[in-house]
C-alpha cells in the first residue's frame, strides 16, 4: 500500500477514552504496527480507570500480551480533570467489557518510555493520545529522549481551529499545559525530527457516522442493523461480534455527545487518525511552525499559540498537520478494524 511504512515499533501513551480505544483497536488491526507497550495517563478518566480500560480493550483485540504501564496519576501542577460527559462515567461510553485479566506492568510509564527508547535508540515512534504528563516526566528524567526516539506524533492542540474545551484550547493540552510546554521545549532543537501534531484542525475532519458503523459491521460479517442502536440509554447493541458490539455501544455515547455539542449525530475520531498518521505519514500534510503553549492566560491557558506569520523569528519546532485525507483514513479504519473483528470471531469459532 503506498505510503505505508514497513514495521513501525510503537509506544502508545493514552487516556482511554472512547476514541483512544478505537486507536488501540486500529493499532492491533494494523500489520505494520509493532506495539512495544501502552502507557496510561489520566485525562478522559482517571489514570487507574485508563489502565483498566486499556487492558480490557487490548484483550478484546487479541493483544493481551502487550505490556501496559500506569503513569503519573495527576498533572504536573494542576488538579485532575476528567470528562465523563464526553466519554461516559468509565470512559467507554455505553460499552461494557469484562474486567481486564492481565496484570499491569510493574514499570512506571515514564520509566518504561525512557528504558525502551534507550534500548532501541532511533527506532521507536511515540504516539501520545492524551495529556502530555507522562512524556514530560520521561523527558525530565531523560533529557536525551527527543534524540533517542525516532518520532513523536501527538493528538493535541488547536492550531488554526477553535478549541473544544475553551474557545482556543484543546482538551489534551488543557489538562496539563505545563507538561505540554515541557515536551515542546524539549523537542525545540530537534530540527531533523520535529514532533508531528494532529490538532483539531485535522482530527475534526475524521467524522465517523452511523453509515460508517454499518459499513464496519458488514466488513466484520455482522448484521448491519446490529451495529446501530438509537434509543433508550440501556439499548445496547445486539451484535454477536464482540468488537462490533463494543464499538457500537462506545460510539453511540460519543455520537450523542457530538449531537448535543457539535450539531451532528456522529463522532470525531481524533486519536485513531493520529495513530494512523504515525503509521502512514502520507495521510496528513504538515507545515513546520513555531508553537508555544500559553500558561499564564486569563482566558487562554493551554492554547497552542502558533506563529503563522513568523513574527517571533524563532525556528519552527512542530510539524503541524494542516490537511488530512480523512476519507482514505475512514475507509482504512473500517477495513482494518472490521477485518480484525471478523478474524477474531473466526479464530474463536
Ligand atoms: C482529545 O481529547 C480527548 O477527549 C480525546 O480522547 C482526544 O484525545 C480531543 O480533544
Ligand atoms: Ca485521548
Amino acid at each position: 500500500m503506498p505510503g505505508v511504512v514497513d514495521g513501525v515499533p510503537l509506544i502508545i501513551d493514552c487516556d482511554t477514552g472512547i476514541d483512544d480505544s478505537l486507536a488501540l483497536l486500529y493499532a492491533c488491526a494494523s500489520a505494520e504496527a509493532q506495539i512495544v507497550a501502552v502507557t496510561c495517563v489520566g485525562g478522559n478518566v482517571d489514570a487507574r480507570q485508563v489502565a483498566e480500560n486499556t487492558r480490557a480493550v487490548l484483550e478484546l483485540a487479541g493483544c493481551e500480551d502487550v505490556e501496559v504501564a500506569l503513569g503519573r496519576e495527576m498533572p504536573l501542577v494542576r488538579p485532575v480533570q476528567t470528562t465523563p460527559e464526553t466519554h461516559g462515567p468509565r470512559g467507554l461510553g455505553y460499552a461494557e467489557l469484562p474486567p481486564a485479566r492481565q496484570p499491569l506492568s510493574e514499570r512506571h510509564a515514564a520509566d518504561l518510555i525512557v528504558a525502551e527508547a534507550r534500548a532501541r535508540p532511533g527506532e521507536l515512534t511515540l504516539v501520545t493520545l492524551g495529556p502530555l504528563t507522562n512524556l514530560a516526566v520521561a523527558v525530565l528524567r531523560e533529557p536525551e529522549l527527543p534524540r533517542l526516539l525516532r518520532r513523536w506524533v501527538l493528538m493535541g492542540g488547536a492550531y488554526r481551529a477553535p478549541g473544544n474545551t475553551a474557545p482556543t484550547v484543546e482538551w489534551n493540552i488543557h489538562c496539563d499545559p505545563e507538561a505540554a510546554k515541557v515536551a515542546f521545549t524539549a523537542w525545540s532543537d530537534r530540527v531533523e525530527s520535529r514532533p508531528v501534531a494532529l490538532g483539531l484542525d485535522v482530527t475534526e475532519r475524521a467524522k465517523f457516522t452511523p453509515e460508517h458503523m454499518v459499513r464496519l459491521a458488514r466488513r466484520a460479517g455482522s448484521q448491519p442493523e446490529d451495529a446501530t442502536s438509537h434509543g433508550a440509554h440501556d439499548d445496547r447493541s445486539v451484535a454477536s461480534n464482540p468488537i462490533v458490539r463494543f464499538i457500537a455501544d462506545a460510539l453511540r455515547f460519543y455520537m450523542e455527545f457530538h449531537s448535543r455539542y457539535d450539531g451532528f449525530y456522529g463522532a470525531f475520531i481524533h486519536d485513531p487518525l493520529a495513530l494512523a498518521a504515525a503509521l502512514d505519514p502520507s495521510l496528513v500534510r504538515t507545515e513546520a511552525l513555531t508553537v508555544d503553549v500559553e500558561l499564564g492566560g486569563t482566558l487562554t491557558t493551554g492554547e497552542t499559540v502558533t506563529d503563522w506569520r513568523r513574527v517571533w523569528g524563532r525556528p519552527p519546532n512542530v510539524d503541524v498537520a494542516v490537511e488530512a485525507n480523512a476519507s482514505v483514513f475512514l475507509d482504512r479504519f473500517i477495513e482494518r478494524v472490521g477485518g480484525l473483528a471478523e478474524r477474531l470471531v473466526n479464530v474463536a469459532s
Side-chain angles (χ1 to χ4, degrees):
M1 205 180 299
V4 175
V5 182
D6 245 358
V8 184
L10 293 177
I11 294 181
I12 304 168
D13 185 78
C14 54
D15 62 332
T16 320
I18 295 171
D19 60 329
D20 304 76
S21 73
L22 301 181
L24 291 172
L25 292 176
Y26 187 89
C28 292
S30 297
E32 75 275 27
Q34 300 161 8
I35 313 175
V36 173
V38 180
T39 53
C40 303
V41 65
N44 292 323
V45 285
D46 67 75
R48 292 210 168 251
Q49 185 68 51
V50 168
E52 186 62 34
N53 294 349
T54 300
R55 286 176 294 149
V57 170
L58 290 172
E59 289 173 22
L60 173 73
C63 285
E64 57 278 349
D65 295 338
V66 171
E67 181 175 356
V68 177
L70 180 60
R72 193 180 147 95
E73 294 190 49
M74 33 193 326
L76 292 190
V77 296
R78 289 170 199 265
V80 171
Q81 284 185 66
T82 58
T83 181
E85 69 284 5
T86 316
H87 293 267
R90 284 179 295 158
L92 298 177
Y94 296 121
E96 279 175 15
L97 291 175
R101 294 183 307 274
Q102 295 299 317
L104 263 179
S105 169
E106 290 178 1
R107 300 199 274 182
H108 185 281
D111 291 335
L112 183 154
I113 293 169
V114 168
E116 294 297 330
R118 282 182 185 149
R120 316 166 68 162
E123 285 182 27
L124 293 178
T125 295
L126 175 70
V127 186
T128 59
L129 305 176
L132 295 167
T133 318
N134 286 338
L135 178 56
V137 174
V139 86
L140 291 170
R141 287 184 190 172
E142 174 49 283
E144 285 301 303
L145 190 62
R147 271 157 289 281
L148 291 169
L149 290 171
R150 178 161 179 264
R151 259 164 29 109
W152 167 31
V153 178
L154 69 140
M155 190 287 129
Y159 299 90
R160 216 170 214 167
N164 60 1
T165 307
T168 59
V169 183
E170 183 277 328
W171 171 256
N172 288 339
I173 309 296
H174 162 85
C175 286
D176 199 343
E178 285 76 14
K181 177 94 166 180
V182 168
F184 283 137
T185 305
W187 257 261
S188 57
D189 62 352
R190 285 290 283 145
V191 282
E192 65 288 11
S193 173
R194 284 181 289 266
V196 177
L198 282 85
L200 300 176
D201 315 56
V202 290
T203 63
E204 291 195 348
R205 297 193 197 152
K207 270 189 179 177
F208 202 88
T209 63
E211 291 69 39
H212 291 118
M213 189 63 229
V214 167
R215 282 177 54 201
L216 191 148
R218 278 212 184 93
R219 174 63 187 84
S222 201
Q223 292 302 312
E225 57 274 18
D226 292 352
T228 45
S229 50
H230 297 257
H233 282 208
D234 57 358
D235 180 16
R236 301 289 199 280
S237 162
V238 295
S240 59
N241 185 299
I243 292 185
V244 173
R245 197 165 62 239
F246 169 77
I247 297 176
D249 288 340
L251 273 181
R252 184 162 66 87
F253 191 99
Y254 215 26
M255 289 181 182
E256 289 171 1
F257 166 83
H258 285 81
S259 108
R260 278 198 304 281
Y261 291 94
D262 294 293
F264 72 103
Y265 191 83
F268 300 132
I269 54 169
H270 311 272
D271 294 341
L273 178 64
L275 199 294
L279 296 176
D280 178 2
S282 77
L283 284 174
V284 289
R285 184 174 73 76
T286 61
E287 222 175 286
L289 289 156
T290 312
V291 177
D292 210 335
V293 182
E294 176 65 275
L295 295 183
T298 54
L299 302 170
T300 54
T301 299
E303 181 178 331
T304 38
V305 182
T306 308
D307 186 8
W308 292 97
R309 288 201 163 153
R310 293 160 171 88
V311 294
W312 284 334
R314 282 156 49 187
N317 61 333
V318 180
D319 286 342
V320 174
V322 292
E323 273 176 32
N325 198 334
S327 69
V328 168
F329 158 68
L330 288 164
D331 287 350
R332 200 176 288 175
F333 181 90
I334 290 165
E335 174 56 32
R336 291 188 178 194
V337 177
L340 174 74
E342 181 194 42
R343 277 198 304 284
L344 288 183
V345 162
N346 290 338
V347 167
S349 56

